Amino acid sequence: MTGSCLCGAVRYRVNGPLRPVIACHCTQCRKTSGHHVAATSAPRDSVEIAGQVNWYRSSPAARRGFCPVCGSNLFWDGPGTHLSIFAGTLDGDPGVRLAGHIFCADKGAYYEIEGPLPRADGADPELTTQVS
Ligand SMILES: [Zn+2]
Ligand SMILES: [Zn+2]
């Protein structure tokens, strides 16, 4: 599986399994993406990144990776063994699908979360650590 930013200055390849996609509605994800984030994840050592990624330390526990040329949001790198990858940056069909919503209590007031998928008001390890 491969992916890139909008301009192509950053490209990456994932050699491991992808987790189902989780939408995060937290304030940081809203600010960084302009809406909400939808992210998969993969074991950190299975992700090969080519090109320069700029990292923004968004909290004491995590940093966010973006392209310094076009500004695309690419990665969320926090505690644990997995690197979160923003699903819209993957090329083609990654095989995994949206499987739930987290931090729903922080969602923007301008939209509703529709559909039958599981929702959590805050973090939900059951959703974010599952790997297919
Ligand atoms: Zn770029
Ligand atoms: Zn978030």
Side-chain angles (χ1 to χ4, degrees), residues 20-127:
V21 177
I22 301 297
C24 183
H25 301 264
C26 81
T27 304
Q28 289 189 358
C29 283
R30 290 197 286 112
K31 292 284 184 181
T32 199
S33 71
H35 187 31
H36 64 75
V37 149
T40 180
S41 75
R44 202 170 272 108
D45 59 10
S46 75
V47 184
E48 289 173 43
I49 300 171
Q52 187 198 334
V53 176
N54 275 17
W55 293 97
Y56 170 67
R57 183 151 296 280
S58 51
S59 75
R63 58 183 190 156
R64 291 167 182 270
F66 62 95
C67 172
V69 178
C70 69
S72 296
N73 296 284
L74 292 158
F75 307 113
W76 182 89
D77 186 21
T81 57
H82 283 56
L83 179 69
S84 288
I85 301 164
F86 294 160
T89 66
L90 288 159
D91 300 324
D93 183 348
V96 289
R97 294 292 179 265
L98 190 66
H101 301 269
I102 60 173
F103 287 96
C104 296
D106 298 335
K107 77 169 186 63
Y110 62 92
Y111 66 95
E112 298 302 327
I113 300 170
E114 311 282 359
L117 297 174
R119 300 174 197 179
D121 280 344
D124 186 343
E126 290 283 307
L127 287 175

